[in-house]
Amino acid sequence: SAQPPGSCPDPCECSEAAKTVKCVNRNLTAVPPDLPPYVRNLFITGNRLALLPAGAFPAQRLPDLSALNLSGNHLRAVEAGAFSALPALRQLDLSGNPLVSLSPQAFGEGGSPLEELALRGALRDHGVLLSLATMLQSGALRNLSRLELADNGLLPLPSGLLAALLGLRQLDLGDSSLVGLQNASFQGPGQLQSLNLSEGSLGVLRNGTLAQLRSLPALRSVGPGRNAWVCNCTVEDLVAWLKEGDQVEGKEALSCAYPDKVSGKALLKINGSDLNCSEPVDLPSQLQTSYVFLGIVLALIGAIFLLVLYLNRKGIKKWMHNIRDACRDHMEGYHYRYEINADPRLTNLSSNSDV
């Protein structure tokens, strides 16, 4: 039954003094339509919404809603216009939802005042990640200052994902499958202050990425802890970056994972002698490897040639017989002419017949 205006929906708990409504673990399948208009902080978590359609939060009834938590609702699809009618929305949490569809127009065509977006564990589908990239690149969330993308299969980041986020200050990419940041251009978010890269699969930070991080004037905190760092010749620039500033949190605890001879050694203690970057190349061993590879290739070509001959053995045999017959006929002609030229009687007979 319909609730009186301003009352609290049956499955929810409301506090008008705190401007807060909580609808937690109530097995809801849709957003309650009769939420009180005074709400500023709305928690709808642990339910079974599955779909968030357009107009799920009507502006005329929720003009002051600024913080919306929709985490853990089994959400799979967010349609266009789902959040477009919330003029005061500043914080949105969609974490823990197995999204398979996220409309790039979820916040409408005109953009949103949203400042904080949490998508922890909600971007396991690569198509959803690409939709998010389209949304961010369109400028729909140009006011975003905090973006949480932790605990997602971000391998790799879409190119230009952050380019339009000029006011971004906090970025969380921790606990993900990232193996590199080549596509993560930090030239857009020039105001970035905090970057979390911990608990990932990073093996190395390339020179281009390090150069971008060095160029960020506001960057104060970088967390790269608990990654499997590969300590080969490419790690020298990373070590130099760690030593030159105090941006990296817990840099003393960062250690090599590969190769085995330096496994467990602190990155700050790595030097040129550990990396063997100046050692001459072992040309004889390289040549030996090349010869082995060439032998394998030639053997493979020979095997293919023999297989072709075998498969066409009947045709080849017929062709050989034809050549043999042609050669025999030709040789018999030569033999006949030779006999004529060698016998004077046959020669005179041949001359008289010509006359």
Side-chain angles (χ1 to χ4, degrees), residues 157 162-163 165 168 171 173 181-192 194-195 197 205 208-210 212-213 215-217 219:
L157 288 177
L162 311 173
L165 303 181
L168 190 66
L171 176 61
L173 296 173
L181 297 176
Q182 290 88 340
N183 290 338
S185 173
F186 295 101
Q187 296 177 352
Q191 303 302 315
L192 191 65
S194 174
L195 174 61
L197 300 172
L205 290 179
T209 301
L210 294 175
Q212 291 186 45
L213 295 179
S215 68
L216 296 175
L219 188 61

Side-chain angles (χ1 to χ4, degrees), residues 9 15 54 63 86 98 100 142 214 224 251 283 303 321:
S15 172
L86 297 175
V100 296
R142 63 179 64 91
R214 287 190 179 100
K251 60 183 180 181
L283 290 178
H321 287 167

Side-chain angles (χ1 to χ4, degrees), residues 135-183:
M135 179 192 299
L136 297 180
Q137 292 166 359
S138 70
L141 301 179
R142 63 179 64 91
N143 297 311
L144 211 60
S145 63
R146 180 176 180 272
L147 179 59
E148 183 179 353
L149 303 178
D151 192 20
N152 286 300
L154 306 179
L155 179 67
L157 288 177
S159 180
L161 177 69
L162 311 173
L165 303 181
L166 303 181
L168 190 66
R169 289 177 170 80
Q170 299 179 16
L171 176 61
D172 189 351
L173 296 173
D175 197 15
S176 65
S177 301
L178 283 174
V179 295
L181 297 176
Q182 290 88 340
N183 290 338

Side-chain angles (χ1 to χ4, degrees), residues 216-238:
L216 296 175
L219 188 61
R220 297 291 179 269
S221 174
V222 181
R226 297 189 180 183
N227 282 281
W229 299 107
V230 178
C231 293
N232 55 21
C233 297
T234 61
V235 82
E236 289 182 315
D237 292 304
L238 173 60

